Amino acid sequence: MTRVTFLHPDLGIGGAERLVVDAALALKKQGYEVNFVTTHHDPEHCFSETKDGTIPVTVVGNWLPRHILGRFFALFAYIRMIYAASYIIFCEHRPEIVFCDLVSACIPILRWRIPHVIFYCHHPDQLLSQPEGICKQLYRVPLNYLEEITTGMAHKIFVNSIYTQTVFKDTFKRLHIEPEVLYPSINTDFFDKTRIMSLERVLDKKLSPDSIVLLSINRYERKKNLGLAVESLAELKKYLTEEEYKKVYLIIAGGYDKRVEENVEHYLELIGLADELHVTDKIIFLRSPSDIDKVSILHHSKIILYTPPNEHFGIVPLEAMYMGKPVIAHNSGGPKESVISEVTGFLVDLCGDAFASKIAYLIKNPTYMQEFGNAGKDRFMETFSFAAFSAQLNKTVENLISNKKLK
């Protein structure tokens, strides 16, 4: 049985983590022996498949620092992943294939003893770094060069969207490589088998049966622009009657790690913004909801708000479409490939008023809400199904094993 190891820096809760977990599940169903090696895994902050024994997880290098005085996060991420890669190449059950993502610095180490290395590029890391002055720029120069060179050393490179494929080629100009687009999917079996919990039980709060629930799912990070969902709720008041607006509630749910300073700060910022805009009583914040809770709130919600600008792809719109929910997202990045405006939802400008006007349109026209939801489900099954994702990934692995590298 071919052994495939997934190497991921921090196996928490997020779109990147969901992607690699689903990739592991897909290959496991095809008969491969799969496992994870990671530098951090918190059983209280992870997907269920990585803690219930479905996929074995080995943690190495968690003792290494993540930063020094809040600096050098990227450098230490590289060091931790190189350490983890070193563990893999010397472990007793060395894999034939390693699937790694996010940090490419580990690839040269893996190439020493691993026959096939797959790298999944969610987005070039150097573009996620915030420029903070000349010292930061000088610090990033060797890291950016290393990222580009080591990315090119993988036997196979995937990207998550046509948008990211374009960004990849514009960023890594030394590489004459055409990465293959492998759209993420979701583990639909889990969605189908999950027992839906009542909203009252998930939220620990009772809402009236005729409530209209808006839902935003994203990590508590500033780049996810969660404040836009709060602003949209405040702007919505001018588009609805008082009676209609009374029924509307917003759930903001997402990954929250108390180790991450930004998560803690941004959560408090959002509470402050809700208070400033006088919508505190209409917002429920959920931090790191369980997978069952997430599926349940998706089931009970009416409209999904997806607020990040220039998102690399975005798994939440897929989850929403599979659950038959219309999606309102910013007209940029990956959502332009997943959401068809005025068919499965709306792609709008990046402002609260633009989101609010489309929310109001759907509330006042519930038949469109249903039609958009049905169209979204159809689009998911045609383009983003787990079966299609599994087949494409399995084909790549089979070609690597038979030394027929795909171009």
Side-chain angles (χ1 to χ4, degrees):
M1 182 183 293
T2 302
R3 185 178 179 86
V4 182
T5 292
F6 287 79
L7 175 57
H8 187 81
D10 188 338
L11 201 54
I13 296 175
E17 289 73 34
R18 188 66 257 172
L19 179 283
V20 292
V21 169
D22 286 341
L25 291 172
L27 292 183
K28 183 177 181 178
K29 287 183 178 180
Q30 295 291 337
Y32 296 94
E33 182 182 352
V34 300
N35 72 301
F36 269 100
V37 171
T38 181
T39 60
H40 181 78
H41 181 245
D42 181 356
E44 300 302 317
H45 183 75
C46 66
F47 291 113
S48 59
E49 296 93 340
T50 67
K51 67 178 178 180
D52 64 8
T54 302
I55 308 171
V57 176
T58 302
V59 180
V60 296
N62 196 29
W63 55 271
L64 289 165
R66 297 176 64 246
H67 59 85
I68 292 179
L69 300 176
R71 299 282 184 177
F72 308 113
F73 280 95
L75 175 62
F76 281 103
Y78 283 24
I79 292 171
R80 286 160 68 95
M81 282 288 274
I82 289 171
Y83 183 88
S86 300
Y87 166 84
I88 291 172
I89 66 174
F90 292 116
C91 69
E92 182 180 357
H93 302 290
R94 193 167 65 247
E96 289 82 9
I97 297 172
V98 171
F99 184 115
C100 57
D101 69 320
L102 293 178
V103 178
S104 61
C106 60
I107 295 175
I109 307 300
L110 296 170
R111 287 285 302 255
W112 284 352
R113 302 189 73 186
I114 303 299
H116 308 293
V117 178
I118 299 172
F119 184 70
Y120 195 98
C121 178
H122 304 275
H123 206 66
D125 178 67
Q126 58 192 262
L127 300 183
L128 303 177
S129 176
Q130 299 297 319
E132 298 174 8
I134 188 65
C135 291
K136 176 70 174 289
Q137 293 175 37
L138 291 173
Y139 157 72
R140 285 296 317 190
V141 167
L143 295 182
N144 294 349
Y145 176 78
L146 184 64
E147 180 188 14
E148 180 168 9
I149 297 304
T150 56
T151 295
M153 295 177 70
H155 295 100
K156 178 69 181 181
I157 301 173
F158 284 120
V159 290
N160 54 15
S161 63
I162 296 172
Y163 168 74
T164 301
Q165 184 185 62
T166 301
V167 172
F168 180 100
K169 291 188 286 187
D170 289 344
T171 304
F172 299 138
K173 297 186 182 298
R174 294 182 183 88
L175 304 182
H176 302 290
I177 295 171
E178 182 80 12
E180 181 179 343
V181 176
L182 175 61
Y183 283 126
S185 186
I186 61 173
N187 181 15
T188 51
D189 281 351
F190 178 80
F191 278 69
D192 294 340
K193 295 174 182 177
T194 294
R195 184 169 66 88
I196 302 299
M197 311 290 285
S198 69
L199 202 54
E200 180 179 359
R201 185 168 177 180
V202 175
L203 303 179
D204 196 24
K205 178 176 181 176
K206 187 173 181 61
L207 303 181
S208 61
D210 62 347
S211 294
I212 299 169
V213 178
L214 314 178
L215 175 61
S216 168
I217 302 179
N218 254 307
R219 292 191 304 278
Y220 283 89
E221 295 177 359
R222 295 182 183 95
K223 68 180 181 181
K224 299 301 183 181
N225 206 22
L226 298 175
L228 179 58
V230 179
E231 293 166 4
S232 301
L233 179 63
E235 291 285 342
L236 184 61
K237 191 171 186 178
K238 68 185 182 186
Y239 288 102
L240 301 177
T241 66
E242 184 176 344
E243 194 61 33
E244 288 170 332
Y245 191 68
K246 279 182 180 178
K247 300 176 183 178
V248 178
Y249 291 89
L250 169 65
I251 299 174
I252 294 181
Y256 178 94
D257 189 340
K258 61 185 178 183
R259 297 176 307 133
V260 179
E261 186 177 354
E262 183 185 9
N263 288 180
V264 178
E265 290 178 349
H266 194 45
Y267 171 67
L268 296 175
E269 290 167 358
L270 292 169
I271 291 175
L273 178 62
D275 184 60
E276 179 185 333
L277 297 177
H278 309 292
V279 291
T280 301
D281 61 329
K282 300 183 76 64
I283 299 182
I284 301 103
F285 293 98
L286 292 181
R287 290 174 288 178
S288 295
S290 69
D291 293 339
I292 293 174
D293 286 350
K294 186 176 79 169
V295 173
S296 296
I297 57 177
L298 274 165
H299 172 82
H300 292 294
S301 64
K302 298 296 186 184
I303 303 167
I304 309 303
L305 309 183
Y306 197 65
T307 55
N310 296 311
E311 183 71 3
H312 322 146
F313 180 70
I315 204 74
V316 173
L318 297 191
E319 295 172 332
M321 289 192 295
Y322 185 70
M323 296 292 285
K325 308 297 178 180
V327 180
I328 302 177
H330 180 231
N331 188 23
S332 67
K336 292 176 71 173
E337 297 171 48
S338 56
V339 178
I340 301 179
S341 197
E342 300 187 23
V343 176
T344 67
F346 292 106
L347 295 171
V348 300
D349 294 336
L350 199 65
C351 67
D353 184 72
F355 272 74
S357 65
K358 297 306 182 185
I359 296 169
Y361 179 83
L362 291 174
I363 290 174
K364 289 179 177 294
N365 297 276
T367 55
Y368 284 113
M369 199 182 299
Q370 186 64 47
E371 287 178 12
F372 284 12
N374 293 340
K377 180 70 175 281
D378 291 342
R379 176 159 173 74
F380 175 90
M381 299 306 296
E382 291 169 4
T383 309
F384 303 108
S385 71
F386 193 72
F389 171 80
S390 300
Q392 185 179 353
L393 180 58
N394 185 57
K395 182 179 179 182
T396 293
V397 171
E398 287 182 344
N399 275 280
L400 285 174
I401 293 172
S402 62
N403 293 318
K404 296 177 181 178
K405 186 166 70 171
L406 296 178
K407 300 295 184 182

